[in-house]
Structure formats: C-alpha cells, structure tokens
Amino acid sequence: MCDHSDEASPNLVSNLTSKNSLLKGVTVSRWTLPDDANIYGNVHGGTILKLIEEAGAILATRYCNTAGPVKPEPCIAAMVRIEHMDFLLPMKIGDVAHLTAEIVFTSAHSLLVEVMVQAEDIIAGTRRKTNRARLWYVPLEKSGTVQAVPQMQYCSPEEEERGKRSYEEQKTDREKNPMPEKSVIPYTGCTECEVETVPFSQTCLSFLVGPNDVTFNRHCRGGVLLKLMDECAGIVAVKHCRTNVVTACLNATNFYKMIQIGSVVTVCGQITFTSNRSLEVEVVVEFVTPFEKNSQSQRAVDAFFTYVSIDEKGKALPVLPLKVKTEEEKARFTAGEQRYQNRKQKMQMAK
C-alpha cells in the first residue's frame, strides 16, 4: 500500500480538498468508558463495529462529495457490504480507540474502505492493533439515487488489480447469495427447552429507529444495526456457553435494504455451529414500517458472528457442543462447519 498522504499545508481548505488527502486519514478517536464494556472490562464488539462503520462512512462521504472535478448533489455514503471484520485483540475500559480509514478501490458506483483499529493505553503509553475491516459503500443522494463515484489514482497497476479482484469477488458472492426469501428466524420463546440446544439460546430484540439512529438521508446507519446485531448474537453466545464471550470475527455480510426512520426493527439470533473453541451465531435483521398501509416485514441484513468463550483472565475455554435435533438444524450445523473450515484455511494462507 502506498502513502496517499499530503505534505502539511498552512491552507486548511486546500489540504482537505486535495484528492490524495481524501483517500486516507484518522477519522475517529474515542476514549472508551465503562458503559462501552461488559462486566469483565472488555469493550463490546458492537461498540467497536459501530465505530468502524462510522470511520468508513465519514471518509467515504467526504471523498464522494469533494473529490470529483464537479460539485455533485450532496450525498451520504451508505454501507452495503462487509467484506471481512476481524477481532485481533480485546479492547479494555480506558483505552483510546484510534481508527484509520483508507479508500483502496473505487468502481463506478461503489468504493472499498479499509479500517484499522488501534487501542492506546494512555497510562502506559502503548498501542496495539485490535481490529481490521474492509467495507463497501455506495453514495446515496437524498432521493435514494446512487451517485457516480470519483475514480481514485492508484500507486501501481498491482494495487488497482487487487482492488478489481476484490470487486469481482464480492459481486460474485452477492449474486450467489441473494436476499433469502424465507422470513425471520421463527422465535420459539422457549422457557423450558433443553440446555445447549438451538431453541434454548435463541434470542430476539426489537427497537424503533429514531433520529439518533439515522443519517442526514433519514436511513438507519449501518453501525447502529451492527451494534444491535452483536448485542443479540452475544446474548445467544452467553446463554449457550454460560461464560464470558468475545467476538472473534464477522463473516462477509450483505446489506439488502435501507431502513427508514420510524421503522420497527427486529433482530433475531440463533446458534448454527460449535467447534471445540468457538461458536457461530446467525443473526437476521428484519423491519416493518408501521405508518405505511399494508407494510410487510422485509429483510435488511443477515450475518454470521463467531465468538470465543473465555474465563475471567481472558483465557480461552472449551465450548459446550451444540445439540442439534432437527434436520434443518443439522443442515445449518454442516454449513457452519464448512464456513469454519474456510476461515481456518484463509487464516493459514494469510500467515
């Protein structure tokens, strides 16, 4: 990756509108507080996911509105896909989260943003890398029209080729995995289910999308959804493991529909797979607009979260095996096992 930064300039306006400076920059820094963390002092994965999405959205929105030769209609960058989201190390209460976002590829109507997260211990004066992510955004005008994206200049043909490969891979994945027609995970509300089964830990949450949850275009921000999804999945994981858990990774995720302000959102999660050291939770988000006549529930996003069970000292614990009962649960377990093996293979190839 080449350096897209500019030399310091006394003219702040020209520095902000320079095309190179728009590609890269620290866009979010935040001191983590007790209400950001669980009872063991680890910052919630959902809090970090929300910060990551905000960092990407700030950079993508700034770039799309100011990098082109002609001033476009005002637009807001909306996240449409998570290519990958890795949790490398835990973040603790009192750490300062620093997020660096960089645009690494632009297509005609989308852009790929890489976000790196570091946790700074301001007492010890040290930093450590905690998260990394790659997110796809599209610029939306107030009318909902997708705007053209100004094309970036690459440092080398190899850099551009890597970006093109990522673009084609995500395009192929979206075509192979369209929005499921099946409705939200049926919530059993089981109170006397056998422990360690799928229904025992299944969880559903609901909330009303308000002014604090939306962009200037009145669409629910992706980070708000990600935070709620992680909370739901975390509850599922805790109910199954009955220990502290931490988010390990989030699989490639597609956002199917924008959610308007005033919508009622339902988030449901259930375990699909367990290995000796981790468990996978599927989360489905659906919404309904109650003020619209004949409004029906629609799927907005679905995702697979992976969690690790840990003790009070942060040491990994064995995960209780999932008891699968039905044919559908067995099929989901097999599919989850395949995703688990694929993740292991990619991690080994990355070493």
Side-chain angles (χ1 to χ4, degrees), residues 162-322:
R162 285 195 298 270
K164 287 181 178 178
R165 283 200 303 269
S166 294
Y167 175 78
E168 292 300 328
E169 287 172 1
Q170 66 87 25
K171 185 178 178 181
T172 300
D173 182 73
R174 290 173 71 93
E175 291 172 350
K176 287 183 177 179
N177 299 283
M179 181 176 67
E181 295 181 3
K182 189 174 180 180
S183 186
V184 72
I185 298 170
Y187 181 53
T188 61
C190 183
T191 57
E192 298 181 357
C193 296
E194 181 183 357
V195 296
E196 296 153 27
T197 61
V198 173
F200 177 79
S201 57
Q202 189 183 60
T203 300
C204 282
L205 306 175
S206 295
F207 83 108
L208 179 68
V209 179
N212 291 338
D213 305 314
V214 298
T215 66
F216 299 110
N217 286 353
R218 299 171 68 82
H219 294 131
C220 187
R221 289 179 285 127
V224 172
L225 293 178
L226 288 173
K227 188 174 187 297
L228 194 67
M229 292 166 71
D230 181 72
E231 288 177 3
C232 178
I235 292 171
V236 173
V238 167
K239 286 168 71 175
H240 178 82
C241 296
R242 300 190 288 282
T243 66
N244 183 27
V245 298
V246 291
T247 314
C249 72
L250 173 59
N251 275 20
T253 303
N254 295 319
F255 287 70
Y256 306 117
K257 291 182 180 292
M258 297 294 173
I259 301 177
Q260 296 282 350
I261 189 172
S263 299
V264 176
V265 175
T266 301
V267 184
C268 285
Q270 66 179 14
I271 293 184
T272 53
F273 169 76
T274 56
S275 67
N276 291 332
R277 294 289 180 178
S278 66
L279 66 156
E280 181 189 73
V281 180
E282 180 183 17
V283 180
V284 174
V285 179
E286 292 198 346
F287 69 99
V288 64
T289 308
F291 306 109
E292 293 182 3
K293 193 174 182 179
N294 300 324
S295 178
Q296 295 183 343
S297 182
Q298 302 178 71
R299 182 169 299 203
V301 58
D302 47 42
F304 292 96
F305 288 77
T306 299
Y307 288 86
V308 176
S309 173
I310 60 174
D311 62 19
E312 294 183 5
K313 296 182 179 180
K315 184 179 179 181
L317 296 171
V319 172
L320 297 168
L322 179 65

Side-chain angles (χ1 to χ4, degrees), residues 98-115:
H98 297 284
L99 296 96
T100 304
E102 180 175 4
I103 297 169
V104 296
F105 180 75
T106 54
S107 70
H109 295 95
S110 64
L111 56 165
L112 177 60
V113 180
E114 283 189 351
V115 181

Side-chain angles (χ1 to χ4, degrees), residues 98-143:
H98 297 284
L99 296 96
T100 304
E102 180 175 4
I103 297 169
V104 296
F105 180 75
T106 54
S107 70
H109 295 95
S110 64
L111 56 165
L112 177 60
V113 180
E114 283 189 351
V115 181
M116 303 297 293
V117 185
Q118 289 186 321
E120 178 188 4
D121 184 332
I122 57 176
I123 304 299
T126 58
R127 287 195 183 197
R128 62 192 185 280
K129 186 184 295 184
T130 59
N131 304 82
R132 62 188 175 207
R134 287 164 66 95
L135 316 170
W136 287 93
Y137 289 85
V138 297
L140 292 179
E141 298 176 6
K142 192 173 182 179
S143 63

